[in-house]
Amino acid sequence: MNPIFRNTLAVIAGLFVGSVVNMSIILMSGSIIPPPNGADVTTMEGLQKTMHLFEPKHFLFPFLAHAIGTFAGAATTAFIAINHKTKLALIIGAFFLLGGIVNVCTLPSPMWYTLVDLVFAYIPTSYLALRLFGKSK
């Protein structure tokens, strides 16, 4: 298979897998740690208006979704890619980091969460995935 085609496919697959993992964790999070009473988590507007009700425990699953989703996407990319695995896995991390930046600019979250999420959830997990799954064949 053409390396450019396969690497492109690896990035697309990584973005898809990472997004599915991220959303799956977000969707199941409410059944494990219920949202605060009165919080509307079904719409972006509802989240914006009720974020002040969230306690630290409510930020656990969003962080895990971001970290594990990025890890899964970067691992998928590193596993499928023929070459340039480092660049491609870090591209996945950068893409999800951009999404995280948009997220923290859109939703008012505590500064501690913003820092933890942006510093630890994206680039470090994509690098970890690269180290674990990016071995050349």
Side-chain angles (χ1 to χ4, degrees):
M1 182 180 289
N2 180 327
I4 295 172
F5 178 74
R6 181 146 168 199
N7 288 346
T8 302
L9 183 64
V11 170
I12 293 168
L15 292 173
F16 178 78
V17 168
S19 297
V20 167
V21 168
N22 183 324
M23 281 310 299
S24 297
I25 294 170
I26 292 294
L27 290 173
M28 73 174 198
S29 68
S31 62
I32 298 170
I33 299 177
N37 289 333
D40 176 15
V41 296
T42 59
T43 65
M44 188 62 81
E45 295 78 22
L47 271 173
Q48 289 171 335
K49 290 178 183 173
T50 58
M51 278 298 265
H52 67 281
L53 300 173
F54 282 61
E55 300 172 33
K57 67 181 180 182
H58 296 112
F59 292 97
L60 175 63
F61 274 91
F63 174 79
L64 290 175
H66 300 163
I68 297 170
T70 302
F71 178 87
T76 300
T77 298
F79 185 75
I80 295 173
I82 291 178
N83 51 22
H84 304 291
K85 292 175 185 272
T86 301
K87 289 180 197 174
L88 298 176
L90 292 176
I91 284 172
I92 298 298
F95 179 83
F96 282 101
L97 174 61
L98 179 62
I101 291 168
V102 169
N103 192 41
V104 299
C105 289
T106 306
L107 291 173
S109 58
M111 185 57 70
W112 67 265
Y113 174 74
T114 298
L115 290 174
V116 167
D117 191 53
L118 295 181
V119 171
F120 297 110
Y122 304 103
I123 301 302
T125 58
S126 61
Y127 183 74
L128 178 62
L130 171 68
R131 300 296 298 163
L132 294 174
F133 297 99
K135 305 286 185 220
S136 297
K137 294 177 184 174

